[in-house]
Amino acid sequence: MPIAFEGTIARLSGQCVVEEAGELTEWLLADRTRAVDLAACEGMHSAILQTLMALTPGLASAPADATLARWLKPSLGHLPATTMPANQQETSAPAQPRKPRAPVPNSNPKSPARARRAKKADPS
């Protein structure tokens, strides 16, 4: 079973599917001091993610899978930093905004814009 309820901790493991979202929601609502352990979680249905985002339970540990931890971090900003993989922890420098890309010229050989450019380039 992908979700094991052990005392005040729900341990998510493997791929957690939509059918478990309702049970997790009810379990978390019954006692708001309960927490979730994501260490063995390999993936989760969006309904489970929505439950975690809405109820913001305490998190005993972040996923061991670095990719999953990286994807969940923006949604679950309260992931425990101490259990985040070292290469995924926040750095002190803020992220730099990306520069906008130049528009890509139309490469369709039959486009009107391409025909105009070809006409301008032809000196005759």
Side-chain angles (χ1 to χ4, degrees), residues 8 17 37 39 42 45 49 55 61 68 71-72 97 100 104 109 119 121 123:
T8 60
V17 295
D37 180 356
E42 296 171 359
H45 189 275
L49 176 59
L55 301 179
S61 64
L68 181 60
W71 280 99
L72 291 178
V104 177
K119 197 178 237 186

Side-chain angles (χ1 to χ4, degrees), residues 13-33:
S13 62
Q15 295 291 329
C16 300
V17 295
V18 67
E19 289 80 13
E20 290 142 349
E23 187 177 2
L24 178 63
T25 301
E26 290 175 12
W27 186 80
L28 289 171
L29 285 173
D31 182 358
R32 296 303 300 240
T33 63

Side-chain angles (χ1 to χ4, degrees), residues 80-112:
T82 56
T83 57
M84 287 287 290
N87 62 346
Q88 301 298 323
Q89 290 184 12
E90 297 272 335
T91 59
S92 57
Q96 297 296 320
R98 291 186 181 186
K99 294 180 182 177
R101 288 185 165 182
V104 177
N106 190 339
S107 60
N108 181 353
K110 296 181 180 179
S111 75

Side-chain angles (χ1 to χ4, degrees), residues 3 12 14 21 24 26 36 38 41 47 56 63-65 82-83 91 112 120:
I3 300 180
L12 281 67
L24 178 63
E26 290 175 12
V36 177
L38 302 174
C41 185
T56 61
D65 180 349
T82 56
T83 57
T91 59
K120 283 183 183 179

